Each structure stands twice: as C-alpha cells, then as structure tokens.
Amino acid sequence: YNENGSHITQSNSNDKRSMGGKLYTQGIYVGKRSREDIGCLIPKGMKSFHCEFGVEDQDGRFEQRPAEYKPHIEILLDGKVVGTEDPEDNKEPIPFAVDVSGKQSLMIRLRNGAGVGNPILSKRPIDSEEGGQLAPKILAPKDNAIIAGDVVKMRWEPVEGAKSYAIYILCRKPAKAASATSERMWTATVPASTTSYSFNVKDLPDGKYNWSIIALSATGTVGIFSGDSRFTVER
C-alpha cells in the first residue's frame, strides 16, 4: 500500500485480487474513493503494453456508489490519452493493448475502485501470437506432484530477452507445526543460460509448497510471473 491507498500484488503475495471473478497474480488497484496516477518510463525496445481494466471485486460489496465516485481508468502515452474506460462492478474485465514503440512514458490513472490486471510492457508487438504475455511456462514438476526424494528439479521454457530468472518458493502448509523462526520462503536467481533449478528439500519440512518464476532483463522484469505451481513433499 502507498500513502494514497493503492496497492500492487504479484504472484508471490498472499494478497491476490480479482475482477469480475477472475484472479490476478499482478495488478494495481485503488480504493472506493481513492485516486492514483502511476507512471513509468518505457525502456528502449518495448513494443506493446497489455492489461485488463475492471473493478476490484471487493468493491462490489457496496450496493450503492455515489455518482461522483464511479470507477474510471485512463492510459496515457507521453502525456496523451490513448485509452479510457468506465468499468462496472462485477463485470468481466476489459482487455486493453496499445503500441508503445518509440514512446518514452506511460501513465495509468485510476479512480474510485478501478483496477488494472496483469499490466505488462513487452518487446513483442500487440499482434504477436502470445499477445506480449512473456511468462515462463513451467514444465516440471507437474502441478500437484508428490516429491519423495531430497531434490525438486524445476524446469521451464526459455523466455526471449531474458538475462536471468528469479524463482520464488513458498512453504504454504507444513505437515507439522513449524517453529516461529522456521524459514518459509526461498528465492533464487539463475542465469538465462539454464532453464532448470534443483531445490534441495532434504532438511525442509514435509508439506505443501508453491513456486513461481519470472524472467529478468539487465534493467528489470521481462513480462509477468508464471502461474503458481504446487508440489507436496512426502517422505
């Protein structure tokens, strides 16, 4: 949360949000009567910006919303409005994509419960097959796999433009009560020359684990997090 009441979530957070019943691993939202302008510089070589407009589902609990507090969203490139929307409570999110080639700055204006889901800048054009969604695809272990040994071998497909990958692992439900000082989350960074990582669980508690991965460039992220994948350690 920042001082104006907006919040940002991503896949390694327990504070996930939804719009129109769709859960988002990354997003930017403001409260029912909040206003926020979020700006960023567009790195050289970026070709598209993708997101989905909507209203955070928790705002749908309010049966009446004063007219002056209607949700509103604007997207600006170099100070010029290129997209605007007045989303409604409990409606499906609205997809949005715009060409940012040659542009220098991006601004998202959110008003009164509005939200933007999975906002990403991509090196891919908006008409590319994957729509700019540069998220690593997890190959192994399969979701909900049972791990009986001491090592979990994680594998994923490479992402174009990545210089490295950041991996997040969370023990979300140990089989037995852990002490308050027990480590529950681990992170690792590996170079883009590899698309695998061996996670040693020999000295870790049995239980249920989540992991996700994101590609990194020399200056920041490339695309978005993969979805969470789950495995269970049983010995």
Side-chain angles (χ1 to χ4, degrees), residues 165-202:
Y165 298 97
I167 302 163
Y168 293 80
I169 305 162
L170 173 69
C171 180
R172 60 187 176 89
K173 189 176 181 181
K176 296 181 180 179
S179 70
T181 59
S182 296
E183 189 171 16
R184 299 290 291 275
M185 182 174 179
W186 301 263
T187 61
T189 303
V190 297
S193 58
T194 183
T195 53
S196 67
Y197 175 70
S198 294
F199 182 55
N200 192 332
V201 297
K202 180 179 180 180

Side-chain angles (χ1 to χ4, degrees), residues 6-204:
S6 68
H7 50 269
I8 300 173
T9 68
Q10 58 187 29
S11 64
N12 60 319
S13 167
N14 290 325
D15 187 29
K16 296 181 182 179
R17 302 283 169 161
S18 64
M19 298 188 299
K22 181 178 179 180
L23 187 66
Y24 287 86
T25 56
Q26 296 183 101
I28 306 171
Y29 311 87
V30 295
K32 182 184 178 186
R33 300 190 181 188
S34 298
R35 305 164 66 87
E36 187 68 48
D37 294 347
I38 301 98
C40 70
L41 297 177
I42 299 175
K44 186 176 180 180
M46 292 294 122
K47 295 182 179 180
S48 61
F49 172 72
H50 298 253
C51 67
E52 291 188 351
F53 296 152
V55 179
E56 188 177 3
D57 283 340
Q58 69 174 14
D59 276 357
R61 296 176 303 181
F62 301 99
E63 295 182 359
Q64 294 183 343
R65 185 195 299 268
E68 64 268 30
Y69 292 116
K70 290 297 184 182
H72 182 72
I73 299 170
E74 290 182 354
I75 303 291
L76 296 85
L77 292 179
D78 292 345
K80 182 180 178 180
V81 176
V82 294
T84 181
E85 196 67 46
D86 298 300
E88 299 180 33
D89 291 327
N90 303 317
K91 299 293 185 181
E92 289 188 7
I94 304 163
F96 175 80
V98 62
D99 189 340
V100 301
S101 302
K103 303 299 182 181
Q104 295 181 327
S105 67
L106 168 74
M107 180 174 286
I108 303 172
R109 287 179 174 168
L110 301 177
R111 304 289 185 264
N112 307 320
V116 170
N118 285 350
I120 59 169
L121 285 166
S122 173
K123 291 185 177 181
R124 300 190 179 191
I126 59 176
D127 58 353
S128 65
E129 181 178 351
E130 297 180 19
Q133 297 275 348
L134 293 174
K137 180 180 179 181
I138 291 176
L139 300 177
K142 297 296 185 181
D143 197 27
N144 292 315
I146 304 297
I147 308 300
D150 293 336
V151 174
V152 181
K153 185 67 175 292
M154 300 169 173
R155 295 190 299 109
W156 58 90
E157 290 186 353
V159 170
E160 181 182 352
K163 297 297 182 183
S164 60
Y165 298 97
I167 302 163
Y168 293 80
I169 305 162
L170 173 69
C171 180
R172 60 187 176 89
K173 189 176 181 181
K176 296 181 180 179
S179 70
T181 59
S182 296
E183 189 171 16
R184 299 290 291 275
M185 182 174 179
W186 301 263
T187 61
T189 303
V190 297
S193 58
T194 183
T195 53
S196 67
Y197 175 70
S198 294
F199 182 55
N200 192 332
V201 297
K202 180 179 180 180
D203 298 320
L204 300 183

